[in-house]
Amino acid sequence: MESKKPTMKWATLLSLLSFWFLTVDSAIVSPRSSKGLLNRRKAISEELAPVLKRDSHHYQGQRKSASEDIVAPKSNIWSELTPTEINGVYKLIKEKFNLTDANDATLFDNYAVWIALINPNKTDALEYLDGNGPAPQRYARASIFFGGHDFAKDSEPDGYWQIYQIGPLPATENTEVVEMNWAYTQSTFPFAQGYRDDNRWILEDIFFEDLFQTNEVKAIVEDLIGGKSYGLEGSKMQLGSTDPLVYDRETKSVFSWGTVFLDNEWRAGDILPTGLFFKTNITGRDSSTFKVVLWVYNNVAYNSTEAFYEAWKSKSIFKLPQVSTNQNWTNPSRNGDSDTRLLDDRTSPIVIEPQGRRWQVNEKERYFTWMDWSFYISYNRDNGILFFDIKFKGQRILYELSLQEAIADYAGDDPFQVHTAFLDTSYGWGNNAYGLIPGYDCPANAAYFNGSWNAAGVNNFQNNTYCAYESMEDYPITRHTGRDYVSVSKAATFNIRFVATIGNYDYNFNYKFFMDGTLQVTVRAAGFIQGAYYNPYTAEPFGYKIHDTLSGSFHDHIINFKADFDIGGTKNRVSNTALKPATFVYPWDPDTEYNTKIKERTVFETETSLNMEDVGNLLIESADAKNKWGNPKAYRVYGSLGRRIAEPSQKLAENANWADQDIHFTKQKDSEFTSTGVFNANSVFSPQVNFQTFLDNENIDGEDVVCWFNLALHHLPTTQDVPGTIFTTANSEIVMTPYNYFDSEQSRDTRQQFLYLDRGGDPTTDLFGTQLQSMRYDISPLDFSSVNFAGIQQGKDMTNIPSL
Ligand SMILES: *[C@@H]1O[C@H](CO)[C@@H](O)[C@H](O)[C@H]1NC(C)=O
Ligand SMILES: *[C@@H]1O[C@H](CO)[C@@H](O)[C@H](O)[C@H]1NC(C)=O
Ligand SMILES: *[C@@H]1O[C@H](CO)[C@@H](O)[C@H](O)[C@H]1NC(C)=O
Ligand SMILES: *[C@@H]1O[C@H](CO)[C@@H](O)[C@H](O)[C@H]1NC(C)=O
Ligand SMILES: *[C@@H]1O[C@H](CO)[C@@H](O)[C@H](O)[C@H]1NC(C)=O
Ligand SMILES: *[C@@H]1O[C@H](CO)[C@@H](O)[C@H](O)[C@H]1NC(C)=O
Ligand SMILES: *[C@@H]1O[C@H](CO)[C@@H](O)[C@H](O)[C@H]1NC(C)=O
Ligand SMILES: [Cu+2]
């Protein structure tokens, strides 16, 4: 379970890295002594440093600005459940399912892990937004683990997970609680392929801590790796375990592949791998039956701990170089003895708003407007921020734009890399967004917004999870020099930024709105790579040697988004304008063949998946609205989209099959509102959402079309990733831009222009009333006093759900 004050960090840190950072007592957990597990979890909780946060309002209050508040035309029907709504839901399901409160629960109880809003169905939402329909009724979904005897199923001896729909809200005794099957391929998951929550992580940790204290394992690892064995006071060893769980369908057994990383003062374990690997049978809820079934070192496999020990004792193991103890190179911050670059001791430039802020927000409804753009934002655990009802010049362009899932799919010569494929939505986005650092994560003129989510019975709040700011591109949006004039227009943009740190990576999402109706989504990655041990004999095909014993193991980041375009209404179609070479003979020169080129339009009649190299200008068009010149109103999508390189396999198959092509177009259906789910992570062949089922050849010509696109980074790390990956190059973007949508380009009405005219008489210069005045800017220093590691603020006073 994630996200109680202390456990939050624990879940988070464990999450992507899958590391065990902890040293706590080593009670054996079994059905009989599962309280040991609770004590252990509490001990862990106390050790964990929570997260950065900051009081945004304090900061915002310092800014002098114009009217920044605006009335939202409608209420935000996508806003996350309120603590009151959640409490009602929890009370209901607690009674119905004999739930144990999360802080007391073991794997032998029933407990709720997430309670979240089910976004309203689009049909209902549109009636409310565009007509006189009532605000759609609100529904919640809850994911429950059934480990107790009262709801046990014979087919699931270790318990199971089930997702429920609860509503309409507020919950009363008569509120319906039903299995939520309408939106998912599957809504129930066996323990074996279910979610790896804290209870489960700890089970593994208990086993490994004992294992690494046995005389045999301790002797081997202290010799091969150096330092104290895992779990001992002062040990630098951390254990990592791969995602997904390795499920053997024949024996119904669950295995994990583990490895040892070294922790240090920069928490740089990801780039300090040691080259030792172990496969463990972790079937069931009793760690005393867990067993290492394979050890791997220098590509040699030993099928038992005894066999490994015998080989080591008889000195028949070839020892690989150990990770050096000089690890200053892992410092991702400024190296203290660096020279100062010339003039780098001066503060770098900032953007200022000389006459105050130019955008508006209704903070309660999270409704934003800027330069004829408007949209609502909602926030949740599984998607981070979601955009709804994005309009430009009063016309809806997108009903929804939201992050769905990100995979990180690794390759390597060792079993750890080979078995690794992360699905980050299982770790969560909203819950992994730590406070943004003003002036660094977002420019100094940004404003910050909080987010909330419920997990394991706790209502969590985090300040500064996303920011909004206006900025200037460093190039003009357009210019021209004519015979007697010069015209140049500035390129202002409005930006929403969200950063989530999932384990080793910090993902930076930027949504940039331009004056002409263009919208750009960029994802950047920084942080530590998940490096591999560099085996000089076998690592080469899978990555570069980038430090003494480090290989930058090759992996793909594929990040899936939903973009529900509504171009001139909901009747849309998808077309491709191919750009092709052609040979033409013209009537005005019948004897000559001209090699030239043409545009060639095709319409996709049915649901389709495409790769960008196979298309020219890919358009989402209105099926009936045309511009003045007879062309369909459209938006074009293009960018650095991509797909995974490896073929489907045991570790990644039906659970992320959206990653097999760059972009998909499906017919909008309320029952296909998301491409993924938390349980996709470990249920490789029968996931919560099997995206391919959306692509069933339905007609999309003249229908409401949804675009699912993949931002992609084929990440083959080089020394540019040492110590950390940089946002500059580890990124991917999509551009959505008007394409014959209007009758002409739409930024011409901006006043942020320069016009020089020389048409007889004195030349004139027009700045359209927006001349930068000579003035002293009163810039307060950024205030970092409320940045702290105080942890996720829990809604203890706002909920009656007990929290850790
Ligand atoms: C978060 O922001 C609120 C204002 O909305 C403030 O009262 C609170 O103290 C902040 N929390 C932290 C931990 O900074
Ligand atoms: C309800 O759950 C608790 C805790 O798991 C368990 O001890 C108890 O037996 C359950 N009640 C029933 C009626 O099964
Ligand atoms: C894995 O461990 C479980 C529990 O001890 C056992 O029943 C199962 O047979 C083991 N699987 C394999 C493939 O050895
Ligand atoms: C390990 O391998 C040896 C020799 O290949 C074999 O005799 C033995 O049965 C195996 N042990 C296990 C636990 O699989
Ligand atoms: C590593 O950095 C620390 C702190 O700056 C310094 O004291 C130490 O000498 C450095 N170690 C090496 C081997 O350079
Ligand atoms: C989050 O922000 C809203 C809007 O400013 C504010 O009303 C609310 O109190 C904040 N929530 C928390 C928990 O700080
Ligand atoms: C939303 O749509 C789905 C699929 O049509 C349907 O099963 C569900 O009941 C709808 N929800 C509401 C609240 O109407
Ligand atoms: Cu990467």
Side-chain angles (χ1 to χ4, degrees), residues 548-569:
D548 299 333
T549 53
L550 179 64
S551 165
S553 60
F554 184 19
H555 58 279
D556 285 346
H557 298 275
I558 314 289
I559 304 168
N560 186 244
F561 286 83
K562 174 183 183 182
D564 182 352
F565 283 94
D566 283 352
I567 305 295

Side-chain angles (χ1 to χ4, degrees), residues 53-58 450 462-463 786 788 790-793:
K53 55 189 12 253
R54 182 169 184 287
D55 176 356
S56 56
H57 297 268
H58 172 60
N450 61 16
Q462 172 68 52
N463 286 344
S786 55
N788 61 57
I792 299 288
Q793 183 184 343

Side-chain angles (χ1 to χ4, degrees), residues 408 410 504-505 507 525 528-530 553 555-557 713 715-717 721 725 730:
Y410 288 76
N504 54 320
Y505 275 120
Y507 294 95
F528 292 126
I529 59 167
Q530 176 184 289
S553 60
H555 58 279
D556 285 346
H557 298 275
L713 171 67
H715 197 177
L716 179 56
D721 296 88
T725 298

Side-chain angles (χ1 to χ4, degrees), residues 69-259:
D69 295 339
I70 189 171
V71 175
K74 298 277 174 165
S75 66
N76 188 333
I77 51 177
W78 308 274
S79 65
E80 190 47 297
L81 299 174
T82 63
T84 314
E85 286 174 321
I86 290 172
N87 295 344
V89 169
Y90 186 69
K91 187 163 174 283
L92 190 71
I93 56 177
K94 179 175 173 162
E95 277 161 23
K96 188 173 172 72
F97 298 120
N98 185 27
L99 300 184
T100 300
D101 291 334
N103 56 328
D104 296 326
T106 71
L107 291 169
F108 297 87
D109 302 311
N110 309 331
Y111 52 90
V113 182
W114 305 290
I115 299 172
L117 177 80
I118 302 172
N119 281 326
N121 284 334
K122 186 176 177 182
T123 15
D124 301 336
L126 290 186
E127 271 173 36
Y128 171 68
L129 293 176
D130 299 342
N132 294 318
Q137 286 184 307
R138 284 166 63 86
Y139 284 79
R141 69 190 149 90
S143 304
I144 298 176
F145 179 68
F146 289 97
H149 54 80
D150 40 354
F151 289 85
K153 289 184 191 169
D154 288 344
S155 57
E156 304 297 348
D158 292 318
Y160 60 97
W161 296 82
Q162 177 66 51
I163 310 169
Y164 289 95
Q165 168 178 298
I166 301 106
L169 304 183
T172 65
E173 275 153 34
N174 304 321
T175 302
E176 266 199 319
V177 180
V178 293
E179 292 187 5
M180 187 167 167
N181 294 315
W182 60 268
Y184 302 133
T185 315
Q186 194 161 309
S187 73
T188 180
F189 299 89
F191 174 75
Q193 295 155 280
Y195 185 69
R196 218 175 190 179
D197 66 12
D198 285 8
N199 279 332
R200 195 160 181 176
W201 280 115
I202 290 165
L203 209 58
E204 291 175 55
D205 185 43
I206 287 163
F207 168 75
F208 286 120
E209 209 174 88
D210 289 342
L211 177 76
F212 277 69
Q213 306 308 310
T214 61
N215 291 337
E216 291 80 10
V217 174
K218 185 168 174 292
I220 303 170
V221 299
E222 291 190 349
D223 179 49
L224 295 182
I225 295 171
K228 290 183 182 167
S229 187
Y230 178 64
L232 291 176
E233 186 79 30
S235 173
K236 298 260 187 253
M237 293 184 196
Q238 292 178 329
L239 303 191
S241 174
T242 51
D243 268 12
L245 295 164
V246 181
Y247 182 66
D248 177 9
R249 281 187 280 189
E250 250 166 53
T251 61
K252 291 195 157 60
S253 302
V254 184
F255 299 90
S256 77
W257 273 101
T259 190

Side-chain angles (χ1 to χ4, degrees), residues 296-499:
V296 174
Y297 183 76
N298 192 22
N299 294 303
V300 182
Y302 306 89
N303 67 4
S304 67
T305 301
E306 296 70 41
F308 190 31
Y309 183 69
E310 286 311 316
W312 173 79
K313 217 170 119 195
S314 63
K315 302 212 175 339
S316 61
I317 289 182
F318 177 82
K319 271 174 77 173
L320 294 167
Q322 290 180 352
V323 177
S324 159
T325 52
N326 176 5
Q327 293 162 7
N328 282 3
W329 62 276
T330 66
N331 175 359
S333 177
R334 185 164 194 264
N335 196 338
D337 53 20
S338 301
D339 288 335
T340 296
R341 297 192 194 189
L342 190 62
L343 301 182
D344 191 33
D345 50 352
R346 297 184 178 176
T347 304
S348 57
I350 59 169
V351 172
I352 55 170
E353 296 160 320
Q355 293 179 291
R357 195 194 280 171
R358 298 176 351 122
W359 54 275
Q360 295 179 302
V361 62
N362 182 306
E363 179 131 11
K364 180 171 166 283
E365 303 296 346
R366 299 297 162 95
Y367 174 74
F368 295 79
T369 64
W370 172 81
M371 299 293 142
D372 292 347
W373 282 98
S374 67
F375 50 82
Y376 294 84
I377 288 183
S378 75
Y379 193 91
N380 69 35
R381 177 203 177 275
D382 289 0
N383 308 80
I385 55 174
L386 301 89
F387 292 78
F388 285 97
D389 199 20
I390 299 179
K391 288 183 173 172
F392 180 60
K393 304 246 176 200
Q395 303 179 38
R396 180 174 301 127
I397 306 298
L398 289 145
Y399 170 74
E400 178 182 353
L401 174 61
S402 55
L403 168 67
Q404 300 290 308
E405 181 66 277
I407 61 169
D409 174 18
Y410 288 76
D413 58 341
D414 71 59
F416 192 82
Q417 303 295 334
V418 169
H419 284 88
T420 301
F422 294 115
L423 270 68
D424 286 340
T425 295
S426 70
Y427 296 112
W429 298 98
N431 54 324
N432 280 313
Y434 303 138
L436 295 163
I437 304 301
Y440 290 82
D441 280 317
C442 307
N445 60 328
Y448 297 83
F449 298 88
N450 61 16
S452 69
W453 66 97
N454 174 278
V458 184
N459 294 325
N460 296 285
F461 305 96
Q462 172 68 52
N463 286 344
N464 302 348
T465 54
Y466 63 99
C467 70
Y469 59 91
E470 188 177 22
S471 191
M472 297 303 297
E473 297 299 288
D474 56 7
Y475 62 92
I477 191 166
T478 187
R479 83 180 310 287
H480 186 58
T481 301
R483 258 202 324 279
D484 51 6
Y485 70 93
V486 181
S487 161
V488 192
S489 308
K490 292 194 210 173
T493 61
F494 185 52
N495 297 264
I496 302 290
R497 177 162 297 162
F498 168 75
V499 175

